[in-house]
Amino acid sequence: MPQNDIAHHIEALIFSSIQSISIQEIVFALNSVFNEEFPEKLIHQEIKAIEEKYNKKDMVMELVSLNNGYQFLTKKHYHETVNQLQLHRSKKKLSQAAMETLAIIAYRQPITKLEIEQIRGVNSDYSVQRLLEKELISIDGKAETPGRPILYRTSGLFMDYFGLNNLSQLPQLKDISKEENAIGEPLE
């Protein structure tokens, strides 16, 4: 197969993937279709060439490394325009309760539903169920405590959705706390 054709197949795989696609998934797909052994080194080289192609000013998308894989995303210059369309189309937004639950899971994972409810102070059955349905969280086994409650953690889709490579990229509380949320006078 001509090398240019490999790049087109890789580009098609990344473009058609809803979530980020890993090098291993690309190799598997190519090996399955062409009955050849494609080395990961070749795939890395082709991905580098695709990245360079989409880094040009006249392209509206870019190839981004997310969650140990690759995904095409709109360049930041166009985010506001695309965001308006997404806001217009999104009828199934996450509720405030679901966002709170998701934040708790992201920062404290793995975590049980009881621990989530202790932090929030209210029942979180519905929020946890909605997050599972949207595949933003996943079940991570069972805790070794009495009753063996289910443990929850964020999913790969969560990482893609929020544009993270790993959880250390989550904002730290010191980065998001605002003075307007403070009580009393600041200490000198």
Side-chain angles (χ1 to χ4, degrees):
M1 171 189 336
Q3 187 137 348
N4 192 27
D5 203 30
I6 294 170
H8 288 136
H9 284 275
I10 294 170
E11 195 171 342
L13 286 168
I14 296 169
F15 181 77
S16 63
S17 180
I18 295 171
Q19 301 175 20
S20 62
I21 183 171
S22 69
I23 296 289
Q24 294 78 18
E25 290 172 312
I26 293 170
V27 168
F28 173 78
L30 293 175
N31 289 350
S32 298
V33 170
F34 297 105
N35 293 319
E36 289 183 41
E37 289 295 319
F38 290 92
E40 285 188 17
K41 183 178 180 180
L42 173 66
I43 305 304
H44 279 287
Q45 290 171 346
E46 294 301 323
I47 286 175
K48 198 71 169 154
I50 294 168
E51 279 179 321
E52 289 173 12
K53 172 183 171 181
Y54 283 90
N55 278 340
K56 294 178 183 169
K57 277 189 170 185
D58 62 336
M59 302 299 272
V60 297
M61 294 186 304
E62 61 186 336
L63 185 60
V64 178
S65 173
L66 291 174
N67 196 23
N68 298 319
Y70 295 90
Q71 187 173 19
F72 282 115
L73 297 176
T74 310
K75 288 184 177 176
K76 289 184 183 196
H77 180 74
Y78 305 102
H79 282 195
E80 187 60 35
T81 306
V82 173
N83 188 43
Q84 287 305 310
L85 175 64
Q86 297 298 339
L87 288 172
H88 176 70
R89 288 187 173 175
S90 86
K91 294 184 174 148
K92 295 184 176 178
K93 294 181 188 177
L94 288 177
S95 66
Q96 182 68 29
M99 284 298 289
E100 289 172 6
T101 303
L102 184 58
I104 291 167
I105 294 169
Y107 283 96
R108 299 284 298 266
Q109 62 187 306
I111 188 170
T112 66
K113 193 168 67 63
L114 178 62
E115 292 169 319
I116 295 166
E117 290 172 349
Q118 287 173 340
I119 293 169
R120 288 194 65 230
V122 295
N123 186 305
S124 297
D125 289 341
Y126 183 75
S127 295
V128 169
Q129 188 58 41
R130 294 290 295 151
L131 294 170
L132 283 168
E133 288 170 7
K134 289 184 176 280
E135 297 178 4
L136 291 171
I137 63 170
S138 60
I139 295 174
D140 190 41
K142 295 192 173 209
E144 295 297 324
T145 58
R148 306 221 353 122
I150 295 173
L151 291 168
Y152 298 97
R153 75 169 38 260
T154 55
S155 66
L157 185 59
F158 167 85
M159 302 292 277
D160 288 348
Y161 186 81
F162 288 98
L164 304 171
N165 277 315
N166 56 54
L167 293 172
S168 66
Q169 292 180 317
L170 283 170
Q172 299 301 308
L173 288 179
K174 63 180 172 64
D175 298 334
I176 56 176
S177 64
K178 297 180 182 174
E179 286 185 25
E180 62 203 41
N181 293 337
I183 298 174
E185 296 295 319
L187 295 174
E188 292 184 24

